[in-house]
Amino acid sequence: MLDKLSSIARFKSSCPYLGRTKVSTLRTMATRTSARFPAMSRLTEKASHCPVMGPALLISSTQTGSVSRARSYASLAEKSAVDEIHKTEGVFPVSAGVVCPHASAAAAASKSAETIRAAKMAGCPAHAHKATEQPNVDTATIKPEPSKRHSAFSYEQFYTAELDKKHHDKSYRYFNNINRIAPRFPVAHTASHAEEVDVWCSNDYLGMSRNPVVLETMHRTLNQYGAGAGGTRNIAGNGQMHLALEDELATLHRKPAALVFSSCYVANDATLATLGSKLPGCVIFSDSMNHASMIQGIRHSGARKVIFKHNDTVDLEQKLAQFPKETPKIIAFESVYSMCGSVGPIEKICDLAEEYGAITFLDEVHAVGMYGPTGAGVAEHLDFEAHQATAKSGSTVKGSAMDRIDIITGTLGKAYGVVGGYIAGSTDLVDMIRSYAPGFIFTTSLPPANVSGAQASIAYQKSYMGDRRLQHLNTRALKQKFDSLDIPVVPGPSHIVPVLVGDAGLAKAASDMLLADHGIYVQSINYPTVAAGEERLRITPTPGHTVEQMDHLVGAITSVFDTLGIKRRADWVKEGGRA
């Protein structure tokens, strides 16, 4: 079939229909049977109405009319007759299980004749002619082959076509074999243990995955409670450590309750899907740069979705004003947007939520552990002194940004260095999600060792600000070095350093060159994670990166930009800017 399509593609310039029809459409027509004439494909039926192809098909079917005789002869031939044909043609006896070339030809002729006969009976215009005269054969002795009316869907061709799209637009994802060495992080080795690289794109922002307190806690728990949780939270997977972690998280965000999920992707999806489907007539307002987990949750909720421009509270207010105040509304947004490093206008969005009768859903995934006196995120950071003064008591700071947020979600797998996600909010909200969300109810609970390690990491960062302070100092220093060399960094106040490339192919080439030539691992970020034309290298410094490693990175980035001819900041300014 692919060979036939290749032949057809050669005539796209000659035939108006082929010229304006996509190859994927032609493939579908060639592999699907005609609804009116099941004996032929949709493409053949279309061709039969063509002023050029129609007569050609008619002549072709006339010339092949004699194959019906071949079918009759083949069905009546005895073994002695077939052996005689082999002897005459000089063909040696074929092995068992191998199709005789003459039998194969006869079968092909038989199938072709059956197709033509079925097409005539169906009234196909390309075969509406007088049948060729048949030999005097008793057709009662011939059992017609059952015609295959419907072709099975070609799944593998579909998979290949979808992957081809990814390769064509340069958005195909390649996963590098990177193995972080805990005692020496941010150093890692590749598939070869002898080949070491510096990792500059990890979400283990503070290096807590190798923190001695976390590791010792996990080792101790693993030895005492084993590797797995044993079931869902409802069935054998609800231990004292899960409850203790949820108490820790509720205290961190100064909320009455918290609920732990297997990841924050699941937490966002499950919570938004449950709330959106349960709240009557709910409308969800979503920032245009929200994470895929939030987008999926909104989609799964079935609620009406209204997208507002990124961090644009004027646009958000205009959209909120279109709905009655009594209509249930959720404003879903993030504190730190991971691909551009921008920070959400939390306080202003809280003002709008109160004015228009909405609740707020804040994703602090890339902020927990990184901001605030106890690492609770940007919402805590906005009232730094007030929260620092009440850190020991853990009491709610009334009227603070964190207090005004209704639902906070976060992860245990980035700054805290382990795995898992969670939500924090009112007691009844959390209990409703616990009772209704399939993403929580029907999945295996996190292993005890992971849970205890996460709690230890949170407690450590609540009492020690040194890691995040050093991380931010390294981020500031790196941004300044790039700025002095005219390396284009997407502006933002957070710990993310997005280096703009602006082309999918160049971004991938830059990432590959850094790894192969300089021993530096920085993953390229392409569509759909970022908009087409805004492809970038996403760099995340950690407290563990040394001055020497940073200088090596800056020199390597400069070399790669020069070698590949990637635009500098001045070039983007001339073009009017980007990202």
Side-chain angles (χ1 to χ4, degrees), residues 148-187:
K148 191 173 182 180
R149 298 176 63 86
H150 299 287
S151 299
F153 184 80
S154 180
Y155 296 96
E156 294 299 326
Q157 284 187 12
F158 172 79
Y159 306 148
T160 301
E162 289 300 302
L163 289 172
D164 285 345
K165 294 177 186 177
K166 285 287 183 183
H167 286 291
H168 180 72
D169 65 13
K170 303 295 190 298
S171 67
Y172 183 80
R173 295 174 187 265
Y174 296 87
F175 297 155
N176 288 305
N177 187 340
I178 302 295
N179 307 274
R180 301 183 305 152
I181 304 170
R184 299 176 56 207
F185 180 75
V187 175

Side-chain angles (χ1 to χ4, degrees), residues 483-566:
D483 183 66
S484 66
L485 295 169
D486 208 29
I487 299 295
V489 174
V490 179
S494 73
H495 60 285
I496 312 294
V497 185
V499 175
L500 180 64
V501 177
D503 179 89
L506 283 177
K508 177 64 170 61
S511 176
D512 291 344
M513 189 173 290
L514 284 169
L515 186 63
D517 297 346
H518 301 278
I520 291 173
Y521 175 49
V522 177
Q523 185 63 41
S524 60
I525 307 297
N526 296 333
Y527 176 85
T529 306
V530 296
E534 296 188 6
E535 294 81 4
R536 62 198 64 183
L537 300 174
R538 179 182 180 271
I539 299 173
T540 52
T542 73
H545 283 104
T546 65
V547 173
E548 292 76 18
Q549 287 173 322
M550 188 179 296
D551 288 341
H552 177 47
L553 170 70
V554 172
I557 290 284
T558 303
S559 173
V560 168
F561 265 58
D562 290 340
T563 301
L564 297 178
I566 298 174

